[in-house]
Amino acid sequence: MSADSTSEFEVVIGLEVHAQLLTDSKIFARSSTVSGKTANTLTDPVTLGLPGSLPVLNKRSVDFAIRLGLALQCSIERTSIFARKHYLYPDLPKGYQISQYDKPICLNGSLVVRIKDGTKKIGITRIHLEEDAGKNTHLSDEPYSLVDLNRAGVPLLEIVSEPDMRSPEEAGAYMRQLRQVLLYLDICDGNMEEGSLRCDANVSIRRRGETKLGTKVEVKNLNSFRFVERALEYEIERQIAAVREGTPIVQETRLWDEAACTTLPMRSKEHAEDYRYFPDPDLLPLVVDDDWIARTKSSLPELPAQVYERFRKSYELDPYYCEILAEEKAVARYYDEAVAFHNNPIAIANWITTELFGRLNKESMAMSSNPISPENLASLILLVDNKTISGKMAKAIFDEMFSTGSSPRDIIEAQGLKQISDPAELEALVDSILSQSAAQLQAYRDGKTKMFGYFVGQVMKASDGKANPQIVNELLERKLKA
Ligand code: ADP
Ligand code: MG
């Protein structure tokens, strides 16, 4: 029982994504935003909400909001307003979170997402700036909880999508590609496990053909792409079963329970809080002028979807390769640089995605610590292409390049690995093998044509694997026919 395209139900999903921004200091205070420090060491009077302290807006966080807004085709509002959102919880010492409410900084954008059969434009309702809260730790054996305010005041962007997604896979694709944009813009580290990228998923179902939206449920606590998709799958089945039973769906917030693979009710609409939003009197309206927007626009990098398209068009790469090579900015740049040295885009794509990624994975290394320069990888492939070395030798040389960072030429020089392609030298080798193989030669002439492989093998062995196999084959064919 699920809502596939043949089902009587249609699924509707909208995501609210929170991205922690990579600023050095907090959004309204001077404390550092680095993670992993001793609890409550990154605080100050503003972060602690001490009386008399005043917030001062971090300009870089606004820069980042504009960057993302432009990347997602939003209109950048010339004036936006910070508002207080009130609730009482120990992770929020002021008793309110500073957020943006009815006047957010970015409106009406979109992200074109690649899905399994083409692309789909997902609307972005709004993007607003706000501060993160602290972190509570609830201890199972103690009658108290711990509060760490290091995270309190870290700048966040909340990206609210339109209810445009129609399946968990589409939601997963949107989330992954939104993360790529954030990473390309260098504004968020995108780490879902550590919570620097978080997602609340809103989902409802309706009968196919119905134009009104169904009652939505919001699912929280989704800290991986897999959980976003799984929680949605579970929730969709739960809602379909309820509707079939005649039980009405109630608008509520549910929590994803990872261990049990279910969603559990957290609070219903009747218990929804009244946040008593009002403009924060301590902060001026945020004014962004045309010049600021123009400067930011001109500094935007090429975005992942553009890189994907460029790889597909100018290098004629398979979608599979485009996907992998465009995923990370550092990989895309590496690929471009390697192709600039040696114009064999397909072989280079192949080497990067198999040999290089295989090795980086095995050593748990990131692209940033890759010891092989794009120039060295390109020269290795050039040496194969111009038949200086065989494909097999190239793999061994690659391993050496990875361990030492040396150039392929230096390794070939040092280890005397150059392929033998001189026909005279090879002919002598072939002749000597044939003269030592009278019995095998007889067998071949008697019709055992499989012996051909034996002769090739012997020549390769005698040359320590350095003989150019293609020339050896040609020589043998000629000689055996004679
Ligand atoms: P709320 O007032 O509860 O915050 P919003 O209208 O602001 O709700 O929407 C929050 C998110 O929920 C948005 O991402 C939106 O696309 C999504 N959403 C709204 N209505 C529905 C619905 N009926 N089904 C699925 N998602 C929805
Ligand atoms: Mg809302």
Side-chain angles (χ1 to χ4, degrees), residues 12-16 160-163 202-204 213-216 251:
V12 174
I13 298 167
L15 299 186
E16 295 165 290
V160 181
S161 86
E162 287 289 296
N202 299 269
V203 54
S204 62
L213 290 175
T215 303
K216 77 173 159 91
Q251 184 170 337

Side-chain angles (χ1 to χ4, degrees), residues 161-173:
S161 86
E162 287 289 296
D164 284 348
M165 286 153 272
R166 292 290 172 270
S167 67
E169 303 83 75
E170 281 185 21

Side-chain angles (χ1 to χ4, degrees), residues 6-269:
T6 59
S7 146
E8 61 181 303
F9 292 104
E10 181 180 46
V11 171
V12 174
I13 298 167
L15 299 186
E16 295 165 290
V17 173
H18 285 91
Q20 269 183 0
L21 298 182
L22 288 170
T23 55
D24 294 332
S25 59
K26 295 187 175 178
I27 183 169
F28 300 116
R30 66 178 64 178
S31 298
S32 163
T33 57
V34 292
S35 59
K37 293 285 177 206
T38 307
N40 297 307
T41 54
L42 307 177
T43 61
D44 55 78
V46 172
T47 302
L48 295 170
L50 298 184
S53 62
L54 286 171
V56 177
L57 178 59
N58 179 332
K59 189 172 178 188
R60 219 170 150 68
S61 66
V62 181
D63 257 321
F64 287 1
I66 300 173
R67 280 170 88 77
L68 184 64
L70 291 171
L72 297 180
Q73 320 292 329
C74 293
S75 69
I76 310 299
E77 297 303 290
R78 298 308 192 263
T79 303
S80 62
I81 304 282
F82 286 102
R84 294 183 176 182
K85 175 181 180 179
H86 296 82
Y87 65 90
L88 274 182
Y89 206 57
D91 62 10
L92 189 72
K94 296 195 296 300
Y96 59 85
Q97 176 195 27
I98 304 177
S99 181
Q100 294 187 310
Y101 183 53
D102 51 357
K103 285 189 159 297
I105 183 163
C106 307
L107 285 172
N108 301 328
S110 62
L111 177 65
V112 176
V113 174
R114 285 186 304 282
I115 54 174
K116 67 173 180 304
D117 24 50
T119 57
K120 179 164 180 176
K121 191 173 184 169
I122 307 294
I124 306 286
T125 316
R126 53 183 282 157
I127 303 173
H128 67 252
L129 274 162
E130 61 185 26
E131 58 178 339
D132 208 344
K135 202 169 188 161
N136 294 342
T137 307
H138 307 293
L139 306 159
S140 50
D141 301 330
E142 304 291 347
Y144 57 84
S145 294
L146 299 174
V147 181
D148 175 10
L149 294 176
N150 284 356
R151 201 181 69 180
V154 169
L156 293 178
L157 283 178
E158 177 170 343
I159 304 128
V160 181
S161 86
E162 287 289 296
D164 284 348
M165 286 153 272
R166 292 290 172 270
S167 67
E169 303 83 75
E170 281 185 21
Y174 165 80
M175 188 71 202
R176 287 189 177 87
Q177 289 169 53
L178 176 60
R179 176 176 180 273
Q180 283 175 16
V181 172
L182 291 163
L183 290 176
Y184 263 69
L185 295 173
D186 293 319
I187 64 176
C188 173
D189 71 19
N191 191 328
M192 289 189 78
E193 255 164 74
E194 284 174 18
S196 27
L197 186 64
R198 312 198 281 268
C199 170
D200 299 335
N202 299 269
V203 54
S204 62
I205 57 166
R206 61 184 171 190
R207 290 201 186 269
R208 215 158 273 286
E210 175 67 69
T211 48
K212 241 180 66 206
L213 290 175
T215 303
K216 77 173 159 91
V217 164
E218 180 176 356
V219 187
K220 289 188 177 286
N221 196 29
L222 304 170
N223 59 2
S224 78
F225 296 116
R226 211 154 34 95
F227 294 158
V228 173
E229 290 173 349
R230 274 209 209 144
L232 285 168
E233 274 155 22
Y234 172 85
E235 187 54 30
I236 290 160
E237 295 208 357
R238 191 189 66 82
Q239 292 185 17
I240 290 176
V243 168
R244 289 220 167 109
E245 268 174 17
T247 318
I249 307 286
V250 286
Q251 184 170 337
E252 62 182 351
T253 303
R254 297 175 72 92
L255 269 188
W256 170 244
D257 181 339
E258 178 190 329
C261 272
T262 54
T263 62
L264 300 170
M266 187 171 126
R267 55 172 181 255
S268 68
K269 199 182 181 190

Side-chain angles (χ1 to χ4, degrees), residues 378-415:
S379 345
L380 179 70
I381 295 163
L382 174 62
L383 290 168
V384 178
D385 289 350
N386 68 20
K387 307 228 158 45
T388 310
I389 55 174
S390 69
K392 204 169 150 206
M393 286 168 166
K395 298 242 161 106
I397 295 166
F398 175 90
D399 279 338
E400 190 69 18
M401 287 163 69
F402 196 94
S403 310
T404 61
S406 304
S407 76
R409 293 219 172 261
D410 287 348
I411 294 167
I412 290 167
E413 203 67 42
Q415 305 191 358

